[in-house]
Amino acid sequence: MARTVWDSTVGKKTVMAVSGLVMLLYLVAHMIGNLKIYFGTEEFNHYAHWLRTVGEPFMHYEWTLWLIRVVLVVAVVAHAVSAYQLSRRDIKARPSKYVHRKPRSSYATRTMRWGGIILGLFIVWHILDLTTGTVHSGGFETGKPYQNVVDTFSTWYGNVIYIVAMLALGLHIRHGFWSAAQTLGAGSRTRDRALKTTANVLALLLTIGFVAVPVGVMTGVVS
Ligand code: HEM
């Protein structure tokens, strides 16, 4: 049964929609958390510490965080694998080339593919930068995310990488949220306008909220 659903196009689209919504929830929380940087070192670092102790004493130190990490990894992998398989299917369905050089896929499909690739690369860079410190520009210190974030946005390439990724994220969510709603059956003639507006507002708020952090550092408001 599960196999049949997974093998179907609509099954893969459902996996994309659900995993996308899980990541979206995480991003809303992550963006709100990031904005605490405007309230100073102590509040931001305290929040990062809380992320590790949340759920105690029922949970052990970092258990909740690891649970979130596992859910996110499953969501990212499921999203990427079904996207890849759907796009292979799309290409296979049209084996012969068009007589005129017309692109095989729509503008939205191509931006979603490129956006997805950019975001996948960004997530790897971001973890190596602000979680492990492997590619970090300053003297990375675990438990001191405020200073780590300020260091990241004190380099030109840090700002470029994050801002480009956030713009890609906005576009990806704008179209992705809309597609997910259609796949999950929320679309209808009367609701489509409201869904489009929700997708646009959500994408805009997330992009502005995330970009506010590098902008804060660049303007010296956060230092
Ligand atoms: C300006 C934008 C962003 C800033 C300043 C930022 C900041 C941070 C910081 C400081 C951490 C480490 C937190 C800690 O160790 O306590 C972190 C972790 C993380 N961020 Fe972001 N983030 C941004 C955007 C994003 C975006 C767009 C995504 C997803 C597409 C994302 C996904 C993650 C993930 C998956 C982690 C790893 C959590 C973990 O396992 O520890 N971040 N971020």
Side-chain angles (χ1 to χ4, degrees):
M1 167 69 189
R3 181 88 231 166
T4 322
V5 173
W6 171 245
D7 282 343
S8 70
T9 296
V10 69
K12 287 184 202 300
K13 284 191 176 172
T14 307
V15 170
M16 293 216 68
V18 174
S19 54
L21 290 175
V22 167
M23 291 189 279
L24 186 61
L25 268 182
Y26 170 78
L27 285 172
V28 171
H30 190 28
M31 183 212 73
I32 295 172
N34 281 351
L35 289 176
K36 284 175 178 286
I37 201 135
Y38 279 96
F39 299 98
T41 317
E42 211 168 297
E43 183 153 341
F44 193 68
N45 289 353
H46 179 243
Y47 158 67
H49 177 69
W50 170 82
L51 278 178
R52 282 146 179 93
T53 55
V54 59
E56 280 183 4
F58 180 66
M59 297 298 254
H60 185 66
Y61 183 74
E62 282 201 349
W63 274 12
T64 311
L65 183 62
W66 274 104
L67 198 66
I68 297 172
R69 286 172 174 164
V70 170
V71 170
L72 279 178
V73 169
V74 171
V76 170
V77 171
H79 203 74
V81 169
S82 32
Y84 176 75
Q85 294 181 341
L86 281 167
S87 89
R88 296 299 310 162
R89 214 166 256 201
D90 199 25
I91 292 165
K92 265 208 203 124
R94 298 209 199 125
S96 59
K97 290 214 169 89
Y98 283 102
V99 178
H100 302 291
R101 272 187 56 82
K102 223 163 75 176
R104 283 198 227 248
S105 41
S106 69
Y107 173 74
T109 307
R110 276 177 289 134
T111 40
M112 287 310 272
R113 280 179 198 163
W114 278 107
I117 292 167
I118 291 173
L119 289 168
L121 292 173
F122 166 75
I123 291 172
V124 175
W125 174 268
H126 182 42
I127 289 174
L128 293 176
D129 178 24
L130 287 173
T131 300
T132 64
T134 321
V135 298
H136 194 65
S137 51
F140 182 84
E141 271 190 76
T142 310
K144 303 248 170 84
Y146 185 95
Q147 193 53 46
N148 295 337
V149 169
V150 170
D151 288 344
T152 285
F153 299 123
S154 301
T155 63
W156 66 267
Y157 61 88
N159 289 310
V160 170
I161 292 171
Y162 278 77
I163 292 172
V164 168
M166 292 318 103
L167 296 177
L169 181 74
L171 290 174
H172 204 77
I173 288 173
R174 193 177 116 143
H175 184 75
F177 182 83
W178 162 255
S179 303
Q182 302 305 315
T183 300
L184 298 177
S188 76
R189 224 184 321 178
T190 45
R191 257 187 314 229
D192 278 2
R193 258 177 77 108
L195 279 171
K196 274 214 166 111
T197 310
T198 311
N200 289 345
V201 170
L202 205 64
L204 202 64
L205 278 180
L206 275 167
T207 308
I208 293 173
F210 275 123
V211 170
V213 180
V215 168
V217 178
M218 280 192 278
T219 53
V221 177
V222 174
S223 61

